[in-house]
Amino acid sequence: MRTVVSIILAAGEGTRMKSALPKVLHAICGQPMVAYVLRAVLDAGCRKNYLVVGYRAEEVIETLKSFLSLREKRIEFVRQSRLLGSGHAVLQTKKDLKGYGGDVLVVNGDLPLLSGATLNRLVQAHFKQKNSLTILGAILKDPSGYGRIVENRANDEKRIRIVEERDATPRERRINRVNAGVYCFQAKDLFKALAKIRPDNRKKEYYLTDAAKILSEMGKKVGMVIAKDSSEVEGVNNRKQLANVQKCINMKNLERLMFNGVTIVDPSSTFVDSTVRIGRDTIVYPGSSILGKTRIGENCRLGPYAFIQDCRIDKDVEVRASFIYGAKIAERAKVGPFSHIRPGTVVGEDVRVGNFCEVKKSKIGQGTKVSHLSYIGDSFLGKNVNIGAGTITCNFDGIRKNITRVGDNTFVGSDTKFIAPVKIGKGAVIGAGSTITEDVPAGKLAI
Ligand code: UD1
Ligand code: CA
């Protein structure tokens, strides 16, 4: 069987993004755009994948490593120290591929909608047609910005070449068959062609796309495959394309959830990252964003207007119009409306955190109620505690963050201030309007 490895081009700066961040690291639904391309080549079964990095290479490598984890073994980073064009980028893998006689998929790193299935179709056609190079093309209504695939007949022979838009004649520009930026090469021919590429174009770059013409002229067979779904080849060069692509990927994420038993009441106003998992029979109401490494159990009610990032939410939880980050919410808890739950918080089973409450780095025991207008910070609230309206933990003394502990079954009257550090024993009663500066023993009344 013939083997296929991939080369992903991700060294460019991405000038048109007008950004301090390298283009391939721009996030799309919670993942850097190049991570989607990696997923596609891995899905296509490439055993080895060379990612060419250049512009702020360290940053690209560091970021990607946190997304690759297990599959990292199949990915290797290759440096392009001077950014002289896509052909020059591919050339950087020459040492790694020395002696390799199989085939190579070359994929631009800015094609996050590309699927493994389309890559497979390209590779199969490449094998079947016994091509030296097979180009993935697409027919676009508006081909502007893309290289065009030009077909010529030279004494009964079909010849294919690619012309970049800025080097094209007006007639060539009318061609709506574009180069997707995805190619399958016989490795040996690829490097022969690369040796012949010259920077004789407007940008003075070594264009990989010139390989088509070079191989044709060498008498090699160059073919093409047209993408069935032209939206797959949308390249991201600017923020407008970034938004378009993000919309598509978001919709795919929502569809995946819906087919797995999640109700999305209004897909057009709901945003779910590719990294999120949601259990069946959960309902997501309009205006909600569920992001990052969030895991949500079955049968939850989320939104309207829930913003949930990097959280673990068990089953039967309700979150209404609230912001929650880096928190854990246990079964049957109810959060909101208008709560802000900050990282490090653990909300226990059957807890209620209600209207206009902020909770930071605190543990709230089972069945406890913090129903109205409270700030709970650096606190441990036991089970079945009732926190009255307007209760505040005064956790910061100007230097240190201090801890408040409240034992099980304690009743805290409205408008209480806990001057931390302070500890309230189990079953105590705090009168409304108290400012508590000292520890309260279990079962006692404090005013
Ligand atoms: C490229 C193609 C164009 C095609 C389009 C499809 C070339 C010359 N042109 O144009 O025919 O229609 O993609 O989206 O290839 N890169 C490097 N090192 C470099 C230069 C670029 O790694 O020195 C990488 C970039 O990070 C990017 C890819 O190569 O992922 C393509 O570069 P880009 O500048 O986006 O090319 P396009 O103008 O989109
Ligand atoms: Ca591009």
Side-chain angles (χ1 to χ4, degrees):
M1 210 183 98
R2 290 167 77 170
T3 56
V4 183
V5 302
S6 83
I7 301 172
I8 296 153
L9 306 184
E13 174 181 345
T15 326
R16 289 164 279 181
M17 295 297 280
K18 310 243 164 76
S19 174
L21 193 69
K23 177 166 79 177
V24 292
L25 291 190
H26 276 262
I28 297 178
C29 295
Q31 284 187 325
M33 81 170 78
V34 68
Y36 292 92
V37 183
L38 283 169
R39 145 77 51 183
V41 293
L42 291 169
D43 283 351
C46 294
R47 295 178 303 132
K48 198 88 206 177
N49 306 277
Y50 300 93
L51 193 82
V52 183
V53 291
Y55 179 71
R56 297 183 39 193
E58 296 317 315
E59 206 176 325
V60 175
I61 294 172
E62 274 315 299
T63 310
L64 285 179
K65 278 192 170 161
S66 64
F67 280 90
L68 302 172
S69 59
L70 293 173
R71 293 168 141 189
E72 207 174 303
K73 287 192 295 292
R74 290 153 66 187
I75 294 162
E76 237 165 80
F77 295 96
V78 176
R79 309 291 173 130
Q80 183 190 16
S81 50
R82 289 196 303 152
L83 306 178
L84 302 179
S86 48
H88 180 259
V90 175
L91 192 60
Q92 309 312 304
T93 64
K94 192 176 174 180
K95 258 201 232 132
D96 298 274
L97 291 177
K98 200 165 182 237
Y100 173 69
D103 297 81
V104 186
L105 264 176
V106 179
V107 186
N108 285 358
D110 59 359
L111 305 174
L113 292 173
L114 187 68
S115 70
T118 296
L119 287 175
N120 269 327
R121 253 188 82 221
L122 179 70
V123 173
Q124 291 320 317
H126 177 75
F127 288 170
K128 208 164 154 206
Q129 296 168 15
K130 298 193 170 60
N131 289 338
S132 165
L133 161 63
T134 314
I135 301 162
L136 181 67
I139 309 293
L140 298 186
K141 264 208 201 85
D142 174 13
S144 55
Y146 290 87
R148 311 293 206 277
I149 303 178
V150 185
E151 236 176 331
N152 292 102
R153 288 199 168 272
N155 21 317
D156 234 29
E157 238 183 284
K158 245 194 338 200
R159 283 202 177 163
I160 292 176
R161 65 190 168 85
I162 299 168
V163 58
E164 289 308 295
E165 181 164 86
R166 48 160 61 79
D167 303 308
T169 63
R171 201 168 154 186
E172 287 168 338
R173 281 186 198 198
R174 282 200 293 274
I175 298 173
N176 64 351
R177 182 178 50 214
V178 304
N179 166 34
V182 180
Y183 323 81
C184 193
F185 284 95
Q186 282 186 27
K188 294 252 146 45
D189 290 345
L190 167 63
F191 290 101
K192 274 182 213 158
L194 290 179
K196 294 191 176 174
I197 293 176
R198 293 289 165 260
D200 51 4
N201 48 61
R202 292 236 170 140
K203 274 181 95 182
K204 306 269 176 288
E205 284 187 2
Y206 292 84
Y207 282 166
L208 176 62
T209 44
D210 287 350
K213 182 163 182 262
I214 292 169
L215 289 171
S216 285
E217 285 172 0
M218 287 165 70
K220 306 276 185 183
K221 218 176 148 209
V222 178
M224 68 179 143
V225 165
I226 301 297
K228 283 186 186 152
D229 174 1
S230 62
S231 70
E232 268 192 43
V233 311
E234 172 141 16
V236 178
N237 298 312
N238 57 45
R239 309 253 185 173
K240 184 173 175 231
Q241 290 167 324
L242 183 76
N244 284 344
V245 165
Q246 169 134 295
K247 204 169 169 188
C248 289
I249 292 182
N250 184 54
M251 199 47 71
K252 282 186 191 176
N253 291 344
L254 294 174
E255 282 168 8
R256 166 176 57 80
L257 290 169
M258 291 189 271
F259 287 125
N260 283 317
V262 177
T263 295
I264 306 289
V265 174
D266 178 21
S268 69
S269 71
T270 304
F271 302 90
V272 175
D273 276 353
S274 308
T275 38
V276 166
R277 301 284 170 267
I278 304 182
R280 53 198 288 181
D281 288 324
T282 285
I283 303 178
V284 184
Y285 291 96
S288 298
S289 297
I290 306 174
L291 310 176
K293 297 190 176 103
T294 298
R295 297 282 175 273
I296 289 171
E298 296 183 358
N299 205 38
C300 293
R301 303 279 176 275
L302 310 175
Y305 306 104
F307 183 100
I308 302 172
Q309 185 163 31
D310 296 324
C311 288
R312 240 207 121 83
I313 294 186
D314 291 346
K315 61 178 181 182
D316 303 317
V317 166
E318 209 179 281
V319 177
R320 307 288 190 197
S322 294
F323 274 75
I324 313 185
Y325 310 82
K328 187 179 176 317
I329 316 282
E331 292 174 26
R332 297 178 303 279
K334 289 187 165 62
V335 175
F338 313 112
S339 294
H340 184 190
I341 306 222
R342 293 166 51 195
T345 295
V346 179
V347 172
E349 290 170 25
D350 303 294
V351 163
R352 159 127 194 71
V353 177
N355 312 255
F356 304 100
C357 291
E358 176 176 347
V359 183
K360 180 217 130 188
K361 214 173 161 187
S362 294
K363 194 164 181 292
I364 303 182
Q366 183 173 5
T368 287
K369 292 186 172 59
V370 186
S371 297
H372 325 273
L373 303 155
S374 281
Y375 171 61
I376 304 294
D378 304 298
S379 304
F380 294 87
L381 308 185
K383 293 181 186 167
N384 299 314
V385 172
N386 184 76
I387 300 283
T391 294
I392 285 172
T393 56
C394 307
N395 60 330
F396 189 47
D397 57 16
I399 301 164
R400 258 182 298 270
K401 297 285 169 68
N402 299 299
I403 289 174
T404 300
R405 290 174 200 276
V406 179
D408 297 347
N409 305 311
T410 292
F411 179 90
V412 178
S414 294
D415 201 22
T416 294
K417 315 268 175 299
F418 288 115
I419 311 295
V422 70
K423 187 174 174 211
I424 314 302
K426 288 185 184 176
V429 175
I430 312 290
S434 301
T435 297
I436 302 296
T437 55
E438 288 167 31
D439 291 355
V440 177
K444 296 293 184 196
L445 169 68
I447 299 182

